[in-house]
Amino acid sequence: MKKATGLDRATTRNWRPATQAVRGGTWRSEHGETSEALFLTSGYTYDDAESVAARFAGDQDGMTYSRLQNPTTQMLEERIALMEGAEACRTQATGMAAMTTALLCQLSAGDHIVAGRAAFGSCRWIIDNVLTRFGIENTIVDARDNDAWEKAIRPNTKVFFFETPANPTMDIVDMAHVCGIARGNGITTVVDNAFATPVLQRCLDFGADVVAYSATKLMDGQGRVLAGAVCGTEQWINDVLLPFQRNTGPNIAPFNAWIVLKGLETLELRAMKQSENALALARFMESRVPRLLYPGLPSHPQHNLAMAQMRAAGPIFSFFLEDRAQAMAMLNALELADISNNIGDSRTLLCHPASTTHNNMGEEGRALAGIEEGMIRINVGLEDPQDIIDDIDRALSKVGL
Ligand SMILES: *Cc1c(COP(=O)(O)O)cnc(C)c1O
């Protein structure tokens, strides 16, 4: 295997993002294949006993076992790191494997974590139900409130953890401020950037230490595989994340890594076009529904902050109907768009968070997080925007809006 370009990492780092997305991290075998090869192998063989010893001792480069290294997986990791502007990246089987690994690898009994209230349901579940079992305390804050982060700090605070935009309330976190407070207090900031991806938002530029992904969403972008990734400095990945990951084994399958690798080639085109379609639909819907939250519209209370952090506002927004019954009737009236809880897909998908993705938070938790009974979250796809608008228009009319 050799680097396809014959170029070193310093050169590929200087490529512009679109070039990195298509060529970054590519290795080629002796066959000179155009598209990255898929290595479905769990193990490796060696020329002689001395070289396997040298590899295990770390004196010789090369693969030893696919829980530790796999060429296809490494191509994906290098490409994500380049696109993120991060020194290093490691991938995991799912977004939740990535979040769990990013948190558990660095937290110990007696530590304290501060996390944003509005978050993906399973992220909150880990903080409330897994970390607490191992003696890791938490404070949950309104992530939009800059002062709340500082007030929550204790002498044992190790990690700040948040999403921006948050799922599904579209809350925006002031990253420069919150990451700055963390840095000043020796706290590691972990940002779940699944909604935006590095194409729309580069968290490291705002002072984040670790960026974690559900690559299931926009990175794959075509609803095919589950995948996750964690990016950080070379030192943090090698010294903090890797000892945990190599021994606990949350690895992505090489086939799934390959799918995401191919997805990244079109990520920028999809993310920008889906953002454009979402903006057109949100503009159309704004006067039709009681309330709509899209960071790309001036009516979003944190519009200016969102647009200072993001290149475009992404494919996802939320809107509010009267109650659960009206929300469900609207979903049932759709003819083109699908009812689905996935996001980032090239198809337009709608879901009712209170009864699905955020069901496990309980009624009280949802009320506190602003996940109302009439709320619907939409992922706007790559269909012709006029067809999406027509479908939503028809469904809203059917429920009397
Ligand atoms: C989907 C999602 C996750 C979980 O990712 P999976 O790939 O489904 O495990 C975590 N955080 C956010 C913001 C998500 O949207």
Side-chain angles (χ1 to χ4, degrees), residues 168-227:
T169 56
M170 309 311 290
D171 291 353
I172 306 294
V173 179
D174 183 342
M175 285 194 283
H177 183 91
V178 173
C179 300
I181 292 171
R183 284 270 163 98
N185 288 276
I187 295 165
T188 302
T189 305
V190 179
V191 183
D192 177 346
N193 197 33
F195 263 43
T197 78
V199 163
L200 300 179
Q201 175 167 273
R202 306 238 309 188
C203 304
L204 299 177
D205 295 348
F206 296 90
D209 300 300
V210 176
V211 187
Y213 284 102
S214 168
T216 313
K217 310 298 168 55
L218 265 174
M219 285 189 177
D220 169 26
Q222 287 145 90
R224 299 169 294 192
V225 297
L226 298 176

Side-chain angles (χ1 to χ4, degrees), residues 60-138:
Q60 187 189 90
D61 283 342
M63 314 279 154
T64 54
Y65 187 58
S66 278
R67 176 154 41 76
L68 311 179
Q69 313 94 1
N70 176 279
T72 307
T73 305
Q74 285 198 1
M75 286 192 261
L76 173 63
E77 292 170 342
E78 176 70 9
R79 188 169 294 176
I80 294 176
L82 283 169
M83 294 173 77
E84 192 65 43
E87 286 176 15
C89 168
R90 286 296 181 279
T91 49
Q92 293 79 22
T94 67
M96 286 323 302
M99 303 305 156
T100 308
T101 301
L103 295 174
L104 281 182
C105 74
Q106 59 177 326
L107 288 164
S108 303
D111 289 341
H112 173 246
I113 176 172
V114 185
R117 175 172 294 144
F120 188 72
S122 294
C123 293
R124 278 297 305 278
W125 195 87
I126 288 177
I127 291 166
D128 295 342
N129 298 296
V130 179
L131 298 186
T132 47
R133 278 174 50 208
F134 299 95
I136 298 153
E137 305 174 315
N138 67 70

Side-chain angles (χ1 to χ4, degrees), residues 139 141 145-154 181:
T139 303
V141 297
D145 179 355
N146 279 349
D147 296 335
W149 291 94
E150 190 151 21
K151 280 194 206 125
I153 295 175
R154 299 182 194 166
I181 292 171

Side-chain angles (χ1 to χ4, degrees), residues 218 270-278 315 344-345 379-382:
L218 265 174
R270 289 182 286 104
M272 295 307 288
K273 178 63 176 154
Q274 287 182 243
S275 297
E276 193 186 306
N277 290 356
D345 197 282
N379 169 74
V380 182
L382 289 174

